[in-house]
Amino acid sequence: MDYPYVPMPHRQPIHWPDGKQLALVFTFNLETWDLVKNTNTPYYAGGPSILPDILPGNTPDFPNYTWREYGQRVGVWRLIDLFDEMGIAASCATNAVTFERRKAMTDAILERGWELLAHNYEQGELLTAVAHDKKAERDIILRSIAIYEKHVGKRPVGWLSSSLRGTLNTAGILAEQGFKFYCDIMNDDQPFMIGTDAGPIIGIPYSNVINDFTMVTRQALTTDQYRDQLIEEFDVLYAEGEHTARIMNIGLHPHVSGRAHRIRAIREFIEHAQKHDAVWWPRREEIADWYAQNHEAHFPGQI
């Protein structure tokens, strides 16, 4: 995997379709965890815990497991109701096992025609555990593709690794399997091309900064502070987008943003964004398809 260092001043301006300045993407993370793992070591379930003393994998950690499970049982439906009410769609990253263990969630997304990205097999099965075994990593990705295809009826074209833990091999395996875009690289406000031995793949940055895990679970922002930080990020990117278009990705976890006392922050942020005419509300695949046709004008002479 390789990509060029091209700082913002060295790029040509880009403009989204119809002159839009900012592509706004909400990512729901539809994740599913094993209650126990066959290990004596602490089980990192692909995201922060609500209680810090993580138990060995072979011991049920009910406080942390059921804190996350709240999102599957309650929180995601609160978010879906809000997005239906506001008339917008989310881009949803789903573990393969979610299709089978928590099927109601993925069915709800498919019924609405929202976007589904492949997001590993099980949330706690990190690709970094097989960072030096390309065959084992490919097997995880292939298992994830197979279940996605079984339930969606087509192969996935976008990938986000559990906990953003990809390896040097991940982008190449994805390109080899026909993926259009990859979201683990979080170093930009614009898409860019990533080179691999299997050909290029488009990087569409996710964010672990504009993300409820960081802002709410780690930084303990209040509901008002959470809303205000989203608005501040939006306002700056929107203004900068008049010169060259930007992406704002907001990572949402149903057990965090789907809580009753936090949903107001998302509602009021969406209301703010909807007052701006030059916002594009795309699927990530739309961004990837547009960029595939326009990247040469953005980074002349690059991949």
Side-chain angles (χ1 to χ4, degrees), residues 107-265:
D107 281 353
I109 302 312
L110 291 170
E111 287 164 7
R112 286 163 174 77
W114 294 2
E115 183 173 46
L116 275 174
L117 313 182
H119 189 41
N120 265 45
Y121 187 77
E122 181 264 339
Q123 182 63 13
E125 186 181 34
L126 304 185
L127 296 182
T128 45
V130 290
H132 306 293
D133 187 342
K134 188 174 181 178
K135 180 181 183 302
E137 180 174 356
R138 183 184 285 108
D139 287 345
I140 293 171
I141 292 171
L142 290 176
R143 279 191 285 122
S144 303
I145 291 171
I147 292 184
Y148 183 107
E149 189 170 14
K150 172 184 173 183
H151 289 275
V152 180
K154 61 181 182 180
R155 290 171 68 87
V157 297
W159 179 274
L160 178 70
S161 297
S162 294
S163 201
L164 289 302
R165 294 295 205 271
T167 79
L168 289 173
N169 295 318
T170 306
I173 296 170
L174 296 174
E176 164 196 291
Q177 295 300 319
F179 281 77
K180 295 179 182 180
F181 62 92
Y182 170 58
C183 304
D184 290 0
I185 308 301
M186 299 178 287
N187 56 5
D188 219 300
D189 291 330
Q190 296 180 325
F192 58 94
M193 303 301 292
I194 296 172
T196 81
D197 290 342
I201 190 168
I202 297 170
I204 300 182
Y206 184 72
S207 177
N208 60 1
V209 176
I210 304 303
N211 186 299
D212 56 11
F213 270 171
T214 297
M215 292 190 281
V216 175
T217 305
R218 296 187 175 105
Q219 296 177 344
L221 299 187
T222 67
T223 298
D224 284 353
Q225 289 170 332
Y226 180 26
R227 174 205 60 209
D228 291 348
Q229 191 160 312
L230 292 174
I231 288 173
E232 186 79 19
E233 181 86 2
F234 174 92
D235 286 350
V236 172
L237 292 175
Y238 187 85
E240 291 175 342
E242 187 172 358
H243 170 65
T244 182
R246 310 294 172 117
I247 296 172
M248 181 176 177
N249 174 87
I250 303 171
L252 302 179
H253 297 79
H255 55 293
V256 179
S257 289
R259 300 294 309 198
H261 66 284
R262 295 199 187 106
I263 200 72
R264 176 174 61 84

